Amino acid sequence: MNNLERNNALVARARRVIPGGMYGHMSVQRMLPAGYPQFFDRAEGARLWDVDGNEYIDFMCAFGPMILGYRHPGVEAAVAQQRSKGDTMTGPSALVVELAERFVDQISHADWAMFAKNGTDATTLCCTLARGATGKRKLLVAKGAYHGAAPWCTPSPKGVIEEDRSHLVHFEYNDVASLTAAAQSAYGDLAGIVVSAFKHDAFVDQALPTREFARAARRISDETGAALILDEVRAGFRLSLDTSWSSLGVEPDLSAWSKAIANGYALAAVLGNDRFRDAATKVYATGSFWMQATPMAAALATISALNELDAPKRLEALGQRLRTGLHSVAQRHGISLRQTGPAAMPMMLFDDDAKLARGNAFCTGMLELGIYMHPWHNMFLSTAHTEGDIDRAIACADEVLANI
Amino acid sequence: MNNLERNNALVARARRVIPGGMYGHMSVQRMLPAGYPQFFDRAEGARLWDVDGNEYIDFMCAFGPMILGYRHPGVEAAVAQQRSKGDTMTGPSALVVELAERFVDQISHADWAMFAKNGTDATTLCCTLARGATGKRKLLVAKGAYHGAAPWCTPSPKGVIEEDRSHLVHFEYNDVASLTAAAQSAYGDLAGIVVSAFKHDAFVDQALPTREFARAARRISDETGAALILDEVRAGFRLSLDTSWSSLGVEPDLSAWSKAIANGYALAAVLGNDRFRDAATKVYATGSFWMQATPMAAALATISALNELDAPKRLEALGQRLRTGLHSVAQRHGISLRQTGPAAMPMMLFDDDAKLARGNAFCTGMLELGIYMHPWHNMFLSTAHTEGDIDRAIACADEVLANI
């Protein structure tokens, strides 16, 4: 096991002053097997160093925000330039207009943009806009999907009351009959259908949306006047430079973005079409830091770089290289490894591994060799990952799987 | 009127791609009379420049986040140092532990800290913690108080459904009988009492909490097991280096902080006592950028500087100087000006001015002389404001009031 002496000292201090030592998706104690560091010292490109100086090739990319590599020179330069002028001010800078124009140019369905801080801000605002525009209450949400940590969507029931979810109706992702039944049960009161870019639930195989499912969601929205809300928070810009559903020929009414749009700077966006513009002028949406200028400078630089690099194509190629390599290695060792969902967002689960014994053993083994992977959550690639990084991960997997 | 040519060109562009041209508290069109700029170019100390180069002494301080002055050297240096290492990473840096320790040392009632991005995140999390810890549902909230922009608390009803607020019970701030009646109506089901640091509702006279009211809130919480939740988002660190209620001898169970705690960097905090620690380990609270390291570096530097400067004392002195000066000037011109609430957070309303004709005329007049004030929202002072800035504002008020 890596030396985690400084990490463990910090963990002990953290237990005194932070509930459980850490919370949410950042809690290593609750999320990951022993051996994972809780605290990090620095990051550069695709590399991450923990507080004990252990170096990792990072396949989590900060759980998504990092898409161009940590401390990307172009993004950092844009941020530094804006910071020399102003960041959080008594009003927005001109960048909010430039960035809204950029999103409207980039994303087919978007006629307008609004900005916030958290992915949860964006998904919640989409729901409020759907209800505001339609005057209806029911929201269809896929079972097991993660749309944020507000009371209406948080995965833990602690502190949530029945009324927080009384107008949610659940359906199975990619199941047209289930979606249709949910819509029928909301008959006459349907405000919106909330769908993730793909099925990226934790602990289970991932699934890309079928064309039939996407079209059914669009058709039901059209027939009922409900909003089709696409949650792009996790996948946005990793699968496409338009929405992740553009390849299916299906456009949402509203879409929620965050994570990768500013390469690690705190920003979220809601994009919408003109049918929802009037409601968007009437909903009171705001936050003290929502007009912060530097994340908008970062977003403009990030979106430019993603276009220049044709990032989704690059991430797909890296992901396929990883998937093919891991498949070969696992096969050679006679191990059944399921790699599901889009290659750019790798998800690996072992067969007959309900308690994650194999997944945990594999990931802790990889960690000791300097590869930071996750046993039950989708991973992320960045344009800073090289073919050499991928090949290194495959070689390490070969070594680890030999001993599992 | 100031030249607003560039501003107006941006406003026209914004109308195409941003609903209503701008939203929330940043919308000049909906919030303020003609003449106010919508877009700003830069900020330094207590000064703000709009995109047309008009310079203002800023009495809004970014609606609160700025407390040490824009681009404060100590804060910027701390941020630059952390940025050279890492910001949003796959886990937190050691700064989250240091900052939690710092808050626990600084704020009497706090045994632990959690961090988020928006003030709304913090107030909402306090409510979830109160419900989670008590297993009860009702929340007492003062009529007209602003606690954020989530469906349970946003001031606009658009898109909000009845269930979002079905367990809120309203009372009048500072009215013990009203608070007691609200608690009685929630009998057996009371989860928490949510109170602002003082009554800082928009459009009306402000009011500091009475000792009787604060003690009643504490007593009801003690008797029922409910959480006393202090919303320090707007006032935090401007009135005290402990909670704003520390001078009343009343401690909350949970407190929500944001705005000024990192001098403009996006950060929010929830502080709690040990009675709520267990619930805090069970509520799923998280966001993609909540562990961003640079705002935590900014917060540590900000809290140190606030202590070194004894900021609340300094802000009180500046506020009293402004209040006394404006009072004299108004009196000399025979105008009745009401200045209410804490001097460090100035609020000015004119008598017989229900439609704000005088307030608007005064503020637009001040704006033309380079003083940025607000006609119906509390204002903010910073330690970067000088006596000269205050005297300049008073002299400008003299000139403007002569013509009203």
Side-chain angles (χ1 to χ4, degrees):
Chain A
M1 198 181 283
N2 293 324
N3 172 26
L4 294 178
E5 197 181 325
R6 283 185 201 166
N7 181 77
N8 294 341
L10 280 166
V11 165
R13 283 168 60 190
R15 281 206 195 100
R16 279 188 50 248
V17 292
I18 297 174
M22 186 48 55
Y23 44 91
H25 75 292
M26 287 291 178
S27 169
V28 162
Q29 190 197 321
R30 255 166 293 174
M31 301 276 285
L32 293 165
Y36 274 83
Q38 178 66 77
F39 297 101
F40 293 94
D41 183 53
R42 65 190 178 95
E44 184 92 36
R47 293 293 194 287
L48 187 62
W49 288 263
D50 66 26
V51 289
D52 288 281
N54 302 301
E55 178 180 333
Y56 308 96
I57 301 173
D58 183 8
F59 285 91
M60 287 312 289
C61 295
F63 283 79
M66 188 276 272
I67 190 167
L68 295 169
Y70 291 112
R71 308 193 62 247
H72 181 267
V75 175
E76 294 305 300
V79 166
Q81 193 189 355
Q82 180 56 43
R83 181 173 304 106
S84 72
K85 301 205 290 179
D87 193 10
T88 300
M89 299 186 283
T90 290
S93 76
L95 293 182
V96 68
V97 184
E98 280 181 48
L99 185 58
E101 288 173 342
R102 183 71 209 237
F103 268 110
V104 167
D105 286 349
Q106 185 84 37
I107 307 299
S108 305
H109 85 93
D111 293 317
W112 53 261
M114 297 170 79
F115 301 101
K117 286 282 111 172
N118 302 310
T120 304
D121 298 340
T123 56
T124 303
L125 182 51
C126 284
C127 294
T128 305
L129 290 171
R131 285 172 168 164
T134 61
K136 297 178 176 172
R137 298 176 299 175
K138 304 287 181 191
L139 296 167
L140 311 190
V141 182
K143 275 176 209 157
Y146 181 77
H147 296 295
W152 74 271
C153 56
T154 178
S156 163
K158 190 76 178 174
V160 172
I161 61 174
E162 195 185 326
E163 285 79 358
D164 290 325
R165 298 169 183 212
S166 54
H167 292 290
L168 302 189
V169 183
H170 289 93
F171 63 89
E172 296 286 349
Y173 197 95
N174 264 348
D175 182 335
V176 174
S178 165
L179 178 67
T180 305
Q184 278 164 353
S185 89
Y187 182 77
D189 198 17
L190 184 59
I193 303 175
V194 185
V195 278
S196 301
F198 66 95
K199 181 182 165 75
H200 46 51
D201 309 356
F203 296 105
V204 299
D205 290 337
Q206 314 289 279
L208 289 166
T210 64
R211 188 176 300 265
E212 191 194 6
F213 172 70
R215 285 188 179 165
R218 182 67 268 171
R219 191 186 61 243
I220 294 166
S221 299
D222 289 340
E223 286 171 2
T224 59
L228 178 56
I229 300 169
L230 189 58
D231 179 351
E232 289 277 9
V233 170
R234 202 181 299 182
F237 288 141
R238 275 196 160 80
L239 308 184
S240 170
L241 292 169
D242 196 344
T243 70
S244 299
W245 281 25
S246 58
S247 60
L248 301 171
V250 172
E251 296 208 341
D253 297 298
L254 299 167
S255 56
W257 302 70
S258 184
K259 288 203 181 276
I261 62 174
N263 201 47
Y265 285 87
L267 188 69
V270 168
L271 309 181
N273 60 25
D274 275 332
R275 193 152 70 86
F276 291 83
R277 189 190 286 259
D278 181 60
T281 63
K282 289 174 185 155
V283 164
Y284 189 77
T286 204
S288 297
F289 309 109
W290 286 15
M291 287 299 131
Q292 215 183 351
T294 58
M296 296 189 186
L300 284 162
T302 299
I303 296 170
S304 290
L306 291 171
N307 278 278
E308 280 160 29
L309 296 165
D310 196 353
K313 198 173 164 190
R314 168 83 183 146
L315 300 179
E316 166 73 13
L318 288 169
Q320 286 296 351
R321 188 183 186 101
L322 180 67
R323 184 163 290 189
T324 305
L326 291 176
H327 178 75
S328 300
V329 160
Q331 211 166 31
R332 190 183 323 143
H333 295 289
I335 289 169
S336 293
L337 179 66
R338 300 196 309 278
Q339 301 184 81
T340 55
M345 298 172 69
M347 176 74 158
M348 294 167 20
L349 292 168
F350 292 86
D351 278 357
D352 307 318
D353 195 34
K355 290 187 173 170
L356 291 175
R358 278 191 186 181
N360 287 342
F362 174 74
C363 285
T364 52
M366 294 293 275
L367 203 65
E368 286 173 35
L369 299 176
I371 309 292
Y372 194 106
M373 288 189 157
H374 203 289
W376 53 260
H377 190 287
N378 76 271
M379 294 178 271
F380 299 87
L381 295 171
S382 78
T383 59
H385 286 85
T386 63
E387 281 79 2
D389 292 336
I390 301 298
D391 294 347
R392 170 92 200 283
I394 296 164
C396 290
D398 193 11
E399 191 180 330
V400 172
L401 290 175
N403 299 316
I404 277 185
Chain B
M1 198 180 286
N2 293 325
N3 172 25
L4 294 177
E5 196 181 326
R6 282 185 201 167
N7 181 78
N8 294 342
L10 279 166
V11 165
R13 282 169 59 191
R15 280 206 195 101
R16 279 188 51 248
V17 292
I18 297 173
M22 185 49 54
Y23 45 91
H25 75 291
M26 287 290 177
S27 169
V28 162
Q29 191 197 322
R30 255 166 293 173
M31 301 275 285
L32 293 165
Y36 275 83
Q38 177 67 76
F39 297 101
F40 293 93
D41 183 53
R42 66 190 177 95
E44 185 92 35
R47 294 292 195 286
L48 188 62
W49 288 264
D50 67 24
V51 290
D52 289 281
N54 302 301
E55 178 181 333
Y56 309 96
I57 301 174
D58 183 8
F59 284 91
M60 287 311 289
C61 295
F63 283 79
M66 189 275 271
I67 189 167
L68 295 169
Y70 291 112
R71 306 192 66 249
H72 181 268
V75 175
E76 294 305 300
V79 166
Q81 193 190 355
Q82 181 56 42
R83 183 175 302 106
S84 72
K85 301 206 290 178
D87 193 11
T88 299
M89 298 186 282
T90 290
S93 76
L95 294 182
V96 68
V97 184
E98 281 181 48
L99 185 58
E101 288 172 342
R102 183 72 210 234
F103 269 109
V104 167
D105 286 350
Q106 185 83 37
I107 307 299
S108 304
H109 85 94
D111 293 317
W112 52 261
M114 296 170 80
F115 301 101
K117 287 282 112 173
N118 302 310
T120 304
D121 298 339
T123 55
T124 303
L125 182 50
C126 284
C127 294
T128 305
L129 290 172
R131 285 173 169 165
T134 61
K136 297 177 176 174
R137 298 176 299 175
K138 304 287 181 191
L139 296 167
L140 312 189
V141 181
K143 274 176 209 158
Y146 181 77
H147 296 295
W152 75 270
C153 56
T154 178
S156 163
K158 191 76 178 175
V160 173
I161 61 174
E162 195 184 325
E163 285 79 357
D164 290 325
R165 299 170 183 212
S166 53
H167 293 290
L168 301 189
V169 183
H170 289 93
F171 62 89
E172 297 285 350
Y173 197 95
N174 265 349
D175 182 334
V176 174
S178 165
L179 178 66
T180 306
Q184 278 164 353
S185 89
Y187 182 77
D189 198 16
L190 184 59
I193 303 175
V194 185
V195 278
S196 301
F198 67 97
K199 182 182 164 78
H200 46 49
D201 310 356
F203 296 106
V204 299
D205 290 338
Q206 314 289 278
L208 289 165
T210 64
R211 190 176 298 264
E212 191 194 5
F213 172 70
R215 286 187 180 168
R218 181 67 269 170
R219 191 185 60 243
I220 293 167
S221 299
D222 289 340
E223 287 171 1
T224 60
L228 178 56
I229 300 168
L230 188 59
D231 180 350
E232 289 276 9
V233 171
R234 202 181 299 181
F237 289 141
R238 275 196 160 80
L239 308 185
S240 170
L241 293 169
D242 197 344
T243 71
S244 299
W245 281 25
S246 58
S247 59
L248 300 172
V250 171
E251 295 208 340
D253 298 297
L254 299 167
S255 56
W257 302 70
S258 185
K259 288 202 183 277
I261 62 175
N263 200 48
Y265 286 87
L267 189 69
V270 169
L271 309 181
N273 60 24
D274 275 333
R275 193 153 70 87
F276 291 85
R277 189 190 287 259
D278 181 62
T281 63
K282 290 175 184 152
V283 164
Y284 189 78
T286 204
S288 297
F289 309 109
W290 287 14
M291 287 300 130
Q292 216 184 350
T294 57
M296 298 190 186
L300 284 162
T302 299
I303 296 170
S304 290
L306 292 171
N307 278 279
E308 281 161 28
L309 296 165
D310 197 353
K313 199 174 163 188
R314 168 82 184 146
L315 300 179
E316 166 73 15
L318 288 169
Q320 286 297 353
R321 187 183 186 100
L322 180 68
R323 185 164 289 188
T324 306
L326 291 176
H327 178 75
S328 302
V329 159
Q331 212 168 31
R332 189 182 323 143
H333 295 289
I335 290 169
S336 293
L337 179 65
R338 299 197 307 279
Q339 300 183 83
T340 55
M345 297 172 70
M347 175 75 160
M348 296 167 20
L349 292 167
F350 291 87
D351 278 357
D352 307 318
D353 194 34
K355 290 187 172 170
L356 291 176
R358 279 191 186 181
N360 287 342
F362 174 74
C363 285
T364 52
M366 294 294 275
L367 202 66
E368 285 174 36
L369 299 176
I371 308 292
Y372 194 105
M373 288 189 157
H374 202 291
W376 53 261
H377 190 288
N378 76 271
M379 294 177 272
F380 299 87
L381 295 171
S382 77
T383 59
H385 285 86
T386 63
E387 280 79 1
D389 292 335
I390 302 297
D391 294 347
R392 170 91 199 283
I394 296 164
C396 291
D398 194 12
E399 192 178 329
V400 172
L401 290 176
N403 299 314
I404 278 185

